[in-house]
Amino acid sequence: LINGTFDGEIDARELIVDSSGSVSGKTVSQNLIVKGKLDADAKCHQLLSISASGNVKGQVEYGEITIERGGNFEGVMKQRN
C-alpha cells in the first residue's frame, strides 16, 4: 500500500496506490489497484484496476483491466495472453 511518494522499482504480489499515493519508476505485480497516481512502466500479471480517482501514465502490460468512470490512462496498453 503506497499512500505517499515512491520513486524506484517495486515487485509485489498486490500493489495498491492509494488516493494520496504517487508511484514513478517500474512496477511488477500480480494485481495492481490505482486510486492515486502511477507514472511508470508496469507489468500486471492478472488484474489492473484504475479507480475513478486513479491516473495512470506509461507503458502497461496486464491480464485483465477495469477502469471506473473518471479514471484516466495515458500511454500504451498491452494485454497479456
Side-chain angles (χ1 to χ4, degrees):
L1 174 64
I2 306 292
N3 58 14
T5 301
F6 182 87
D7 183 14
E9 293 187 19
I10 300 175
D11 190 342
R13 180 180 300 153
E14 182 169 88
L15 176 59
I16 301 170
V17 182
D18 203 19
S19 58
S20 61
S22 177
V23 173
S24 59
K26 183 177 180 181
T27 69
V28 177
S29 62
Q30 291 297 313
N31 296 301
L32 175 57
I33 300 167
V34 182
K35 299 176 182 179
K37 182 179 178 185
L38 178 73
D39 187 356
D41 290 338
K43 284 189 181 179
C44 178
H45 298 287
Q46 293 180 5
L47 178 63
L48 167 62
S49 179
I50 303 172
S51 73
S53 60
N55 288 289
V56 176
K57 184 177 180 182
Q59 186 168 338
V60 177
E61 189 173 320
Y62 62 91
E64 296 179 46
I65 189 168
T66 62
I67 303 175
E68 289 182 1
R69 187 176 186 171
N72 293 302
F73 178 83
E74 180 183 333
V76 177
M77 290 182 172
K78 180 181 177 186
Q79 186 173 19
R80 299 173 57 94
N81 294 330

